[in-house]
Amino acid sequence: MMTSQQPYRCRTALALQGGGSHGAYAWGVLDALLAAGEVFDAVCGVSSGAILGTMAVQGFVRGGADGARAAMAQFWDRVVATNVLAPLTSHLDRWLPGFEVGREFGSNLAMQGIATVLSMFGHASINPLGQNPLRPILTDLLDRAALADPSAPRLFIAATAVESGLSRIFTNQDITVDALLASACLPTLFPTVLIDGIAYWDGAYSGNPPLGPLLALDPERLVLIRAQSRLRAGVPSQPADILNRVQELAFQTAIDAECALLPPTLTFIEYPADRALAGLSPESRAYADRAFLDRLFEEGRAAFRARAA
């Protein structure tokens, strides 16, 4: 706990990227890290990384490393049980009779294409009812009292202000369901989140995640867990594949620039997701089936073990 006499000492800081269901890879890395007895003093995350970090912090307060692992698992269990994209895709059968919606239409890019078609027929959004299926899950799971506990690791989650393009950082006491929804708001899928009269979209648009809040604590060690591909073999030629690669590159630019300027005295550890995500389609960011998430989870655990060996 930080007081005016005793500055906050940060040994290990975690930076968690967002990537929809690909965040299960980051979950696996963090689960293995905690199971090995590692501890963390601060976390910064965006999108699914923000939710993952929030669950880990509040779980840690309630039950240490085991509590953090249980809280993260509980969130992903709820994602599987509720199939969070079902409320969005269920409208398509009504709007486009005879149109079968399969898993391949779960991605942000596919949804963007469908939204374009719908707009031609007067539908402004793929989600005209303004539903966010994450809201009930986060309402049930968020423990604001635990986040505000003096023993809680420092938590920072970021969202992007739509009009200014600036990143807003929410800290332990500020983190609400709306703040988490803002950090994970892909605007073609979910309604824009208003907080204090300001509109917010996904935090990855301005930093994936921003490292400034963590570096301000002068950590001894920084651990970056990626959940998006940085390297991808081959040159895409199809429009959807091109757009996906453009998005991947854009989401890595800010974090790569920050990593290039890290102080040499800082121990930097990175868990890339390239191998785990190789061959996966853009649509897989929205897969919510148990086998898929468990596979990425185990890939994350394996990545930790390989580095520790």
Side-chain angles (χ1 to χ4, degrees), residues 28-102:
V29 174
L30 187 49
D31 180 84
L33 185 149
L34 291 165
E38 301 277 356
V39 296
F40 60 93
D41 304 294
V43 186
C44 185
V46 296
S47 199
S48 60
I51 297 172
L52 185 66
T54 298
M55 296 299 112
V57 167
Q58 64 186 38
F60 191 84
V61 171
R62 295 191 298 240
D66 289 342
R69 297 174 68 198
M72 291 189 295
Q74 186 180 27
F75 168 73
W76 290 103
D77 287 345
R78 289 289 299 273
V79 168
V80 171
T82 58
N83 188 11
V84 294
L85 282 179
L88 303 179
T89 57
S90 63
H91 296 299
L92 292 176
D93 287 327
R94 174 166 53 84
W95 289 335
L96 303 175
F99 188 81
E100 182 178 357
V101 180

Side-chain angles (χ1 to χ4, degrees), residues 67 107 169:
S107 76
I169 305 298

Side-chain angles (χ1 to χ4, degrees), residues 221-265:
R221 184 172 69 153
L222 174 65
V223 179
L224 170 61
I225 306 177
R226 294 186 187 259
Q228 294 186 352
S229 296
R230 187 182 182 205
L231 304 174
R232 185 178 292 277
V235 179
S237 59
Q238 298 302 309
D241 295 330
I242 292 171
L243 287 173
N244 176 62
R245 187 55 180 153
V246 167
Q247 178 174 279
E248 287 179 337
L249 293 172
F251 277 174
Q252 303 291 6
T253 299
I255 184 70
D256 286 345
E258 288 190 279
C259 288
L261 298 175
L262 291 175
T265 55

Side-chain angles (χ1 to χ4, degrees), residues 104-190:
E104 66 270 24
F105 293 101
S107 76
N108 184 35
L109 290 173
M111 290 295 191
Q112 286 174 341
I114 296 170
T116 300
V117 173
L118 293 176
S119 68
M120 295 169 61
F121 294 94
H123 297 288
S125 168
I126 190 119
N127 186 10
L129 300 182
Q131 297 175 328
N132 192 318
L134 285 172
R135 183 176 290 278
I137 297 176
L138 296 176
T139 298
D140 286 347
L141 297 183
L142 183 63
D143 186 346
R144 296 192 66 194
L147 295 181
D149 190 279
S151 67
R154 294 289 186 87
L155 178 60
F156 308 93
I157 68 170
T160 305
V162 178
E163 295 180 271
S164 69
L166 297 177
S167 179
R168 174 170 174 179
I169 305 298
F170 298 87
T171 58
N172 295 62
Q173 291 82 358
D174 305 323
I175 294 172
T176 62
V177 169
D178 278 344
L180 290 171
L181 293 178
S183 184
C185 178
L186 291 172
T188 54
L189 290 183
F190 303 122

